Amino acid sequence: SWQERLLAERWERKTGMLRAWLQSTHYNWEEVCYWAVAQSYGMPVNNLPFLQLAQSLAYLTLMRHRHQPVLVEALLFGQAGMLEEPHFDVYALQLQEAFLHLQHKYRLCPMAPHCWNWLRMRPAAFPTMRLATFAALLQQTPHLFSIILEATTVAELEQLFSVQPSTYWHTHYRFGQPVRSTNRPGKQAVHGILINTVLPLLFLYGQEKQLKHYQEKALQFLQQLPAEKNSITSNWTKLGITQASALDSQALLQLKQYYCNEKKCLHCAVGVKIISGD
């Protein structure tokens, strides 16, 4: 029961943010889904820049150019401020030229390039690689939220988000720096998007529309996904606390971050039991 309470608290925090976004967009579920998925592509260190990018570049604007992959990448990389510096790479110059036209057309004000974090991360997690993969998802999947609602299995959602970036990014991690081949974000990254964004959003939709089966589906899918792998869950494992699914790891993350770290032992079922000596 304590584990269920922890998960409920964690999702209340996530859905609270999503609900505020819904109100600000007049309940535009597709736009909010676009913001939320963008933020998840930037986790853990570029989530705020990704969110800022999505909120400054309307989903409808990207969808107008969905059938022109170069223009979608030009909009995303240009608005991210990654086309501001001089480039000599042919593809980057092509994106620059396209963005200059689109920037004028949509009156866009690009982000500052220094917003993005590059240090201490694997090349596959570089913001350029994440942006290229996000661009591919948007090109291939119009009405993303509607497709999420229609999914009947975890495998369908895994396949939905297991997209490959455009050809250029098969041999580049950054503009003008070719490599023999690149490693694209793998299954663990896809699971992170589902756990932290897609399933809470699906759960919230069920709440808002009073359609309980969407809430039940979100929880069932969470239980079918493997537990997350990070320093916190690894330390729980070392203490002998096993995690059979993402439902378990989400509860333990909530326990560590919002009870153990904040020393709220008297508000914790485990802490109270230890202190009382039962």
Side-chain angles (χ1 to χ4, degrees), residues 251-268:
L252 290 173
L253 286 169
Q254 180 73 9
L255 178 60
K256 176 66 168 66
Q257 292 170 334
Y258 296 99
Y259 287 86
C260 303
N261 288 358
E262 298 185 10
K263 296 181 172 57
K264 291 185 176 180
C265 303
L266 294 177
H267 301 277
C268 168

Side-chain angles (χ1 to χ4, degrees), residues 1 21 50 52 58 65 68 79 96 98 113 125 156 159 163 202 222 231 251 258 262:
S1 63
W21 292 352
F50 260 92
Q52 182 183 344
H65 302 283
Q68 299 166 290
Q79 187 62 9
Q96 271 186 331
E156 287 179 43
Q159 184 175 2
V163 295
L202 183 63
L222 186 68
S231 59
Y258 296 99
E262 298 185 10

Side-chain angles (χ1 to χ4, degrees), residues 53-210:
L53 171 61
Q55 292 180 332
S56 68
L57 183 61
Y59 180 65
L60 184 58
T61 299
L62 287 163
M63 289 300 98
R64 284 174 182 154
H65 302 283
R66 185 178 69 83
H67 298 293
Q68 299 166 290
V70 170
L71 297 189
V72 173
E73 287 200 16
L75 281 166
L76 287 169
F77 283 106
Q79 187 62 9
M82 295 182 188
L83 300 176
E84 295 291 292
E85 61 186 62
H87 285 285
F88 302 97
D89 179 274
V90 173
Y91 186 63
L93 289 171
Q94 184 182 359
L95 295 184
Q96 271 186 331
E97 184 179 355
F99 182 67
L100 283 174
H101 169 70
L102 294 167
Q103 182 181 8
H104 177 74
K105 180 179 180 179
Y106 296 114
R107 299 179 181 180
L108 299 173
C109 181
M111 296 166 56
H114 64 74
C115 292
W116 300 94
N117 296 301
W118 300 85
L119 299 177
R120 294 184 295 278
M121 65 175 65
R122 294 174 294 103
F126 280 177
T128 42
M129 289 298 294
R130 294 287 179 87
L131 265 181
T133 308
F134 184 50
L137 174 70
L138 296 176
Q139 292 158 28
Q140 297 173 24
T141 317
H143 311 297
L144 178 60
F145 184 66
S146 298
I147 294 174
I148 289 171
L149 290 180
E150 293 169 4
T152 57
T153 65
V154 169
E156 287 179 43
L157 291 177
E158 288 177 332
Q159 184 175 2
L160 176 64
F161 286 92
S162 296
V163 295
Q164 298 295 326
S166 62
T167 305
Y168 178 84
W169 299 104
H170 294 186
T171 54
H172 293 77
Y173 286 115
R174 300 185 72 163
F175 289 114
Q177 299 179 20
V179 294
R180 183 170 296 179
S181 64
T182 58
N183 293 317
R184 269 82 78 188
K187 207 162 197 177
Q188 191 172 333
V190 170
H191 288 166
I193 294 169
L194 298 182
I195 293 166
N196 292 297
T197 298
V198 173
L199 298 186
L201 186 61
L202 183 63
F203 187 87
L204 177 62
Y205 183 81
Q207 278 187 326
E208 291 291 317
K209 300 294 185 179
Q210 296 183 346

Side-chain angles (χ1 to χ4, degrees), residues 38-52:
Q39 184 184 47
S40 68
Y41 265 88
M43 289 184 174
V45 296
N46 281 303
N47 53 322
L48 291 179
F50 260 92
L51 177 60
Q52 182 183 344

